[in-house]
Amino acid sequence: MSRTTAAIAASATVFALLLAGCGDDSSSAGSPAASTTPAPSFQVEASKAGMFVVSYRNAFPKLAQGRDDAAVAAVLNHSCSEIKAGKSEADTIATIMKAAKNGDTAATTEEATAVYQMSTLMC
């Protein structure tokens, strides 16, 4: 499956979960990846963050590998912080790319755009 197809599938999954009202608040074991991105100023409610984490892990396994749920949810919180602050889509996508970076694995523009689209539904 291509990365773009996975990103679209993730967006569809999040949308379906939002409509169904389901969520997963469980934590997974693992150490969070080091991030140079400052802490987000906005925190998404736990049920929405749980839905995001499940979708993100399924769509972007390399970006999620070795990161705990809080580190993955921080990607959503960063994007929501930018959206709530009125930042442009391009600026928000750039922030998502920084927050999603996992070691040597960086998010593509398509992946960051998919995260942005999911975020606009969840923020």
Side-chain angles (χ1 to χ4, degrees):
M1 179 183 322
S2 75
R3 291 174 102 173
T4 302
T5 303
I8 292 169
S11 295
T13 300
V14 168
F15 185 68
L17 288 171
L18 281 172
L19 291 178
C22 298
D24 180 9
D25 290 342
S26 64
S27 295
S28 66
S31 60
S35 174
T36 58
T37 308
S41 61
F42 181 82
Q43 295 292 313
V44 176
E45 65 184 64
S47 63
K48 289 182 180 180
M51 287 185 278
F52 176 82
V53 168
V54 170
S55 296
Y56 189 90
R57 288 190 186 286
N58 287 326
F60 316 116
K62 290 181 181 177
L63 294 173
Q65 184 176 2
R67 298 176 95 176
D68 65 12
D69 289 354
V72 173
V75 176
L76 175 64
N77 290 325
H78 280 291
S79 60
C80 288
S81 295
E82 297 279 308
I83 291 168
K84 297 287 185 187
K87 300 277 177 108
S88 70
E89 181 176 342
D91 288 344
T92 303
I93 289 171
T95 297
I96 292 167
M97 291 176 85
K98 289 177 192 169
K101 186 172 169 76
N102 188 8
D104 291 336
T105 305
T108 65
T109 302
E110 293 81 13
E111 290 168 331
T113 300
V115 171
Y116 174 81
Q117 291 168 347
M118 288 190 288
S119 299
T120 59
L121 294 172
M122 302 181 99
C123 298

